[in-house]
Amino acid sequence: MIIGKVVGNVWATRKDEKLCGQKFLVVKRMESKSKEKDELLVAADNVGAGHGDYVLITTGSAARVSIENENVPVDAAIVGIIDSIDVSDD
């Protein structure tokens, strides 16, 4: 899984009809607990995440399974909103 921070939204009025009803968010991947990567990722939102939320993202076939329809052309899905992260400095 990937940890990321929601930084925006994506709207697409013209898209594959299988994507209708999906909410898409722009997410920055996290390099460490407090540092974001420059890399952006678009992910389908399954949990109602919002701008500024730290989220768990799954990719590939696991993303399609989380949407409960393996025919949807999605490669990344938000599957959790993170409440806190505890990382040891060891």
Side-chain angles (χ1 to χ4, degrees), residues 24-77:
F24 294 100
L25 297 176
V26 179
V27 179
K28 271 195 171 183
R29 290 177 68 146
M30 300 301 294
E31 187 171 319
S32 66
K33 183 178 176 181
S34 59
K35 186 175 181 188
E36 301 167 4
K37 291 184 176 184
D38 287 334
E39 179 182 342
L40 294 175
L41 178 68
V42 175
D45 179 25
N46 285 346
V47 295
H51 194 275
D53 284 341
Y54 289 93
V55 293
L56 288 174
I57 302 165
T58 189
T59 58
S61 61
R64 287 187 298 281
V65 169
S66 73
I67 293 174
E68 297 181 355
N69 183 347
E70 294 188 28
N71 295 319
V72 177
V74 170
D75 189 46

